Amino acid sequence: MTRAPFALADTPLAHTPSADRNAPNARTEHLPHVIAWNLTRRCNLECAHCYISAGPWQALGDELSTAECLQILDQVLAVNSSPMLILTGGEPLVRDDLEQIVERAAAAGATVVLGTNGTLLTAERVASLKDAGLLGVAVSVDSLESRYHDRFRHGDGALHMTLDAVETLRDARLDFIVQTTVTRGNRSELGALAAWAAERGAVSFNVYFVVQTGRAAGMEGLSPDENDEVLRELAGLEREYRGQMMVRSKCQPAIMRVTYETAPDSPLLNYETRCPCGVHYCRITPDGKVTPCPFMPLVAGDLRQQDFASIWFDSPTFESLRTGTPGGKCGRCEYREVCGGCRARAFATSGDLLAADEACAYEPDGWREPVARPTPVTYGEAVEAELRWSPDAERRVARIPSFVRGVVTRRVESYARERGIDTVTPELLDEIRREMPVDFSKRRPFFLKDGH
């Protein structure tokens, strides 16, 4: 598992040097590079902010069967053969067929990761999932104080079990990220949580901002000014841990504006962090509905009645997100191309998926030129190789999730040109891996390795 995939929809796209050349342009401009799949509403916890209102009282209900999951998976992979697939819940570990789903997806070329509260993550389950092809795990830690974490997650002893899960992942050498939902109750802990995550070996520290949906519908998030303060703190933490651990905001694309203002040298500016929902990212619900993202319950289609391709390419909801212009201050903001506001929050607070994201403190004056991304690599762009790639080198890069291949291709070729090398070989990829910062090389980035 590379660091980039756990940025979740932060990174730009990618095509292998020779992939997708025969695909119709109309169907490669927007591809589902990241799919979050809520496999169940069942969960052993009942978190205060759960967007899907999961809990121990939820029953199987109309949850997709194993056969239905595998059929849908085949449909997804027919549209994009190498997406990032995030299997989550509820608590996905309550499904006995999780390994079967992981194995089918991984064998077909998807990068499969797991989102879990961590409390059920035993060494035996980690081993079976890793054997099935799982490449990483996202674990939620909202505080290092059990009084807060356990209350927020509605589970006595939850923090202790989750911290044990982190040690289990470390022992198994399986990449993991730490996810934290920021509230007024824990915002003072972000620095300590980041330090702990880095010390334990996390590849990323992701801070989520509340979207008022599901059980969080009645939850008051931070004020716009407070959001801005947290984003500036995260920009500082990103500088502090650069080269060791990524630091990212989630459901708060205004991090891009803050980064432009405070850290113009940040590698975050190389990545696509404008809200990708419905554009290159979608969610599948436990009963087979497709929505733009986990935090937006607006249904774009039903996989029990339609195939994935028809929903992805033809849904009016997705078309609106891809071609519509955000309203209000988001539409007149000079950062609209690199931020654009959180579409799920706009929908949750106004019922309009193209409304302004009022959680942002910035007030644009409307007359400035739009801020452009400093890198030419973006989601949906086919990146053609300029150097020769040996067949073995191409095979390695073909294993990368589609949304990061372009960045890897360009970085590898830049490295080669600086050294007067005109052919990319497995030996060169090995050399690049050795040249990476020590903490990254210890993670053994799979896209440069010979085998998984």
Side-chain angles (χ1 to χ4, degrees), residues 91-328:
E91 176 47 63
L93 291 168
V94 304
R95 285 196 64 137
D96 295 334
D97 60 356
L98 183 58
E99 282 82 353
Q100 187 176 351
I101 296 170
V102 170
E103 184 173 18
R104 176 76 157 263
T111 294
V112 190
V113 298
L114 186 72
T116 173
N117 62 46
T119 59
L120 304 179
L121 204 57
T122 64
E124 293 75 20
R125 201 73 195 272
V126 169
S128 66
L129 286 165
K130 187 176 179 181
D131 287 345
L134 190 76
L135 289 174
V137 177
V139 177
S140 298
V141 180
D142 295 300
S143 172
L144 296 175
E145 298 291 334
S146 58
R147 183 177 61 177
Y148 179 89
H149 180 93
D150 291 0
R151 184 175 70 248
F152 192 66
R153 296 277 163 181
H154 290 192
D156 291 341
L159 177 62
H160 177 76
M161 289 184 281
T162 301
L163 297 186
D164 284 348
V166 169
E167 296 308 310
T168 299
L169 293 168
R170 279 167 52 86
D171 291 344
R173 297 181 66 79
L174 188 60
D175 278 359
F176 67 93
I177 70 170
V178 172
Q179 302 190 143
T180 296
T181 297
V182 61
T183 69
R184 291 193 179 96
N186 68 352
R187 59 173 293 199
S188 63
E189 287 192 66
L190 293 181
L193 282 163
W196 172 81
E199 190 276 330
R200 300 322 296 156
V203 298
S204 187
F205 176 57
N206 291 348
V207 176
Y208 281 79
F209 289 69
V210 171
V211 176
Q212 292 82 358
T213 189
R215 268 201 297 273
M219 183 179 291
E220 183 181 356
L222 302 180
S223 71
D225 286 341
E226 288 171 322
N227 285 330
D228 205 63
E229 291 172 2
V230 171
L231 290 173
R232 292 179 187 280
E233 181 179 0
L234 293 180
L237 291 171
E238 188 279 320
R239 287 193 299 273
E240 181 177 351
Y241 293 104
R242 193 176 300 169
Q244 179 183 359
M245 175 185 76
M246 293 195 302
V247 177
R248 297 290 185 265
S249 71
K250 296 296 174 182
C251 305
Q252 193 52 270
I255 187 70
M256 291 294 281
R257 170 181 58 81
V258 172
T259 303
Y260 270 93
E261 294 172 351
T262 64
D265 62 333
S266 172
L268 181 60
L269 299 183
N270 293 328
Y271 300 138
E272 177 102 26
T273 56
R274 179 174 175 171
C275 182
C277 69
V279 181
H280 302 290
Y281 177 43
C282 68
R283 180 267 296 262
I284 300 172
T285 67
D287 58 347
K289 305 296 193 301
V290 179
T291 79
C293 85
F295 297 94
M296 188 185 290
L298 185 63
V299 175
D302 186 343
L303 288 165
R304 280 178 162 150
Q305 300 177 17
Q306 306 160 267
D307 66 89
F308 181 81
S310 66
I311 296 171
W312 178 259
F313 290 114
D314 301 329
S315 164
T317 296
F318 288 161
E319 179 66 17
S320 180
L321 286 164
R322 293 165 192 171
T323 62
T325 300

Side-chain angles (χ1 to χ4, degrees), residues 10-69:
D10 288 15
T11 46
L13 129 110
H15 288 194
T16 81
S18 62
D20 297 335
R21 288 179 177 170
N22 297 319
N25 290 335
R27 299 232 155 180
T28 56
E29 181 179 1
H30 297 294
L31 284 177
H33 295 296
V34 181
I35 297 99
W37 194 337
N38 296 115
L39 289 170
T40 182
R41 285 187 174 84
R42 293 174 289 150
C43 187
N44 60 317
L45 300 180
E46 194 175 354
C47 303
H49 64 310
C50 182
Y51 60 81
I52 202 170
S53 299
W57 44 270
Q58 292 276 15
L60 280 171
D62 55 359
E63 193 173 286
L64 294 168
S65 67
T66 303
E68 288 176 309
C69 287

